[in-house]
Structure formats: structure tokens, C-alpha cells
Amino acid sequence: MGRVQDKVVFITGAARGQGRSHAVRLAHEGANIIGVDICEDVKTNDYAMATPEDLAETVRLVEAAGGRMISTIADVRDRQALRKAVEQGIAEFGRLDGVVANAGICPLGSDDPQAFIDAFAVDFNGVVNAIEAALPHVSEGGSIVATGSLAAMMTATGENPAYGTGGAGYGLAKRMVASFINDLAVVLGPKGIRANAVHPTNCNTNMLHSEIMYRQFRPDLEHPKREDAEPGFATMSPMNVPFVEPEDISEMVLFLLSDASRYVSGMQMRVDAGSYVKLRPQPPQF
Ligand SMILES: NC(=O)c1ccc[n+]([C@@H]2O[C@H](COP(=O)([O-])OP(=O)(O)OC[C@H]3O[C@@H](n4cnc5c(N)ncnc54)[C@H](O)[C@@H]3O)[C@@H](O)[C@H]2O)c1
């Protein structure tokens, strides 16, 4: 028996990065996956999104791990498309036990107001849309997980000019994900459904490894490379690691989707190599 044996989990942003890692890890533990990804670039976002080939590769990896996956190309800003994807998955698997609202963009370094809107629409509205599409099908014992960020715990994302309008939208969206999940846990508690947020620090994915992200840490260089930025990444963590791996986040997601966490709800789970307590050495607010 796997830790999430025969559960069905809806994952957004499943084509690569953390979403792919969650899909594969959960499949290893007996789950079947309903996965969506935009597989198309977002204009205000400086680095490329996943491709249809990436999504197909996730399906292949899930199957290699012993699971099944129904995949759909869909934008989390499109609530109807998410509903359809969920319904198609349920038609195949017959049930839905959990959600990982993970899809995200980080359009840093722009002064275009549209970058603020896009970040908010994907990183907050997209989370609400995913949960709304899934909730009518999730019954007692279900588990909702939303991906936030260490940025949800920082107050300065709207004040740092280097982050730009997109960074301000990202920070606001992630803070709201934290609050939304907090209150959602209260609302869903009587139904026996849990809601938790996972907050990664820098994670070894395409979102982190983009020139625009490197430039936040090396504003003195016009075209900073990974090796220029990594020492800066590492200063965030008291453990002195530049980033965590997607698999580290997947372990937390697996725990939250499994019955081992049956009385864990309303939590803000940081997987941040201690970065939060370095940033704010005081009792947590949540
Ligand atoms: N990488 C980091 O350093 C880091 C740190 C903290 C939080 N996060 C969060 O982790 C989550 C996963 O990001 P990642 O690190 O795997 O980055 P990533 O860029 O590799 O993956 C994000 C995935 O989401 C998809 N996506 C983007 N917009 C979408 C949309 N509108 N609809 C559907 N799919 C969409 C992308 O195509 C991609 O496959 C995001 O919510 C991100 O904000 C990442």
C-alpha cells in the first residue's frame, strides 16, 4: 500500500518543476493524477512556460511510477477550462481526493501594470479557480494544498523597485494565498476537508533559473549567470543552501495529501531551509 493509495489528485502547473515532481511522487505512492498546465508563454513573464512536450513527459514519468494521469492544456485563469479538466479526470478515475494548486508565474523586473495583473491573476485567482473547480467533487477526508512562497511571509515585495510591478503582484498573490487557505480551513473543517499552504523558498526550477531572477541578486551585472547568483541565494538560508529541490517540496505535499496528516489543517508549511526565521527571528504570525 502506498501512502496515498488509490487517491486521485488534481495538480495545476503539472508539466514541469514542482508540479511534475508532485505528480510523480504521489504516483509512486499509489495516486492517480489529473494534471493541467498552460503550455504557452505569458507575455509579461520574462522566462518561458512549459511546453506540451513537458506535459507529455510528466504523463510518461507518472506512468513509469505506476500511476495513471489525465492531462489537459488549460490556463488556471480559465475557470471553465479547469472545471472541464477536472470532470474529464473524474469520468476516468471516478473520484477526487485532493488538489495541489501549484501553477505560478513570477514576472519580475517590469514596470508594466499588466505584469501586476498577470501575477495576481495566475498566482491568486488561479489558486481559487483550481479549488473551486475541484471542491464540488471532494468529499470527507479530502485535502486541499496551495503553493505559496516564502514571499508570502515578506512585507517588502511591493516596496523593492527591482521586483517591479510583477514582483508586487506576486507578493500580494502569495500573501493572499496564505490568508485564503487559513480561512478556507475554517470553512471546510465541518465537511472533514483540510486546507493547507506550502511555502517554498528558492527552488531548483525554471522559475528560479531565469536571468531576470539572477538579476535580483546581481543587479550590478547586465547578464548574470547561475554561478553569479548562487552565492546570493545561499545567504537567505541559515543552512547556507542556495535552493531546495522540487522533491523536497513534494515530500511535504505527499504528507499533506496522505491520511498521516488527517488532523493537520490551516497550516502554513514552510519548506525553506530556515530562511523565514533568519528573515524574521520572532514567533511566527500564523
Ligand atoms: N522556484 C522557486 O524558487 C519558487 C519559490 C517559491 C514558490 N514557488 C512557487 O512554486 C510553484 C511552482 O513553480 P516552479 O518552481 O515549479 O516553477 P516552474 O516555472 O518550473 O513551473 C510552473 C508551472 O506552472 C505552469 N503555469 C504557469 N502559468 C500557468 C497558468 N496560467 N495556467 C496553468 N499553468 C501555468 C508553467 O507552465 C509551469 O509548468 C509556483 O506557484 C511558484 O510561485 C517557486
Side-chain angles (χ1 to χ4, degrees), residues 40-274:
E40 182 183 285
D41 289 349
V42 175
K43 222 157 107 198
T44 52
N45 200 71
D46 208 55
Y47 57 93
M49 295 292 101
T51 62
E53 292 72 31
D54 290 326
L55 189 56
E57 175 64 4
T58 300
V59 174
R60 195 190 66 76
L61 291 169
V62 163
E63 287 171 358
R68 288 195 296 148
M69 177 167 168
I70 303 292
S71 69
T72 307
I73 295 179
D75 187 333
V76 293
R77 290 169 291 186
D78 182 347
R79 198 172 287 192
Q80 289 304 336
L82 296 191
R83 281 198 184 123
K84 229 171 121 186
V86 166
E87 280 160 17
Q88 271 167 6
I90 290 172
E92 184 67 24
F93 298 132
R95 56 185 292 148
L96 185 62
D97 301 281
V99 180
V100 187
N102 157 84
I105 58 171
C106 192
L108 296 175
S110 159
D111 61 0
D112 183 350
Q114 189 60 39
F116 178 83
I117 300 293
D118 287 346
F120 192 78
V122 175
D123 297 334
F124 181 69
N125 295 350
V127 168
V128 178
N129 289 343
I131 294 170
E132 186 182 346
L135 257 188
H137 308 283
V138 178
S139 50
E140 197 173 340
S143 172
I144 312 294
V145 176
T147 306
S149 168
L150 185 61
M153 316 277 157
M154 296 158 80
T155 51
T157 50
E159 293 149 26
N160 184 343
Y163 291 147
T165 50
Y170 185 85
L172 176 62
K174 296 300 189 180
R175 293 197 299 276
M176 286 189 64
V177 166
S179 298
F180 177 70
I181 288 295
N182 188 84
D183 291 14
L184 186 67
V186 177
V187 170
L188 294 181
K191 297 201 172 301
I193 301 172
R194 302 178 291 107
N196 293 284
V198 171
H199 298 290
T201 185
N202 297 333
C203 185
N204 193 11
T205 68
N206 292 52
M207 181 179 285
L208 184 68
H209 294 298
S210 58
E211 188 178 285
I212 193 75
M213 185 68 83
Y214 297 157
R215 213 175 295 138
Q216 308 303 309
F217 289 80
R218 291 304 303 269
D220 54 315
L221 301 177
E222 201 182 336
H223 296 296
K225 302 256 174 309
R226 178 177 178 147
E227 56 273 22
D228 300 317
E230 270 191 18
F233 290 162
T235 61
M236 291 175 65
S237 159
M239 298 174 79
N240 207 30
V241 290
F243 41 71
V244 299
E245 297 297 332
E247 292 76 12
D248 296 310
I249 314 300
S250 299
E251 289 303 317
M252 180 62 79
V253 167
L254 171 61
F255 169 67
L256 292 173
L257 264 296
S258 76
D259 295 339
S261 62
R262 65 186 178 146
Y263 294 129
V264 177
S265 193
M267 294 295 285
Q268 310 288 332
M269 302 296 227
R270 303 187 306 265
V271 184
D272 71 347

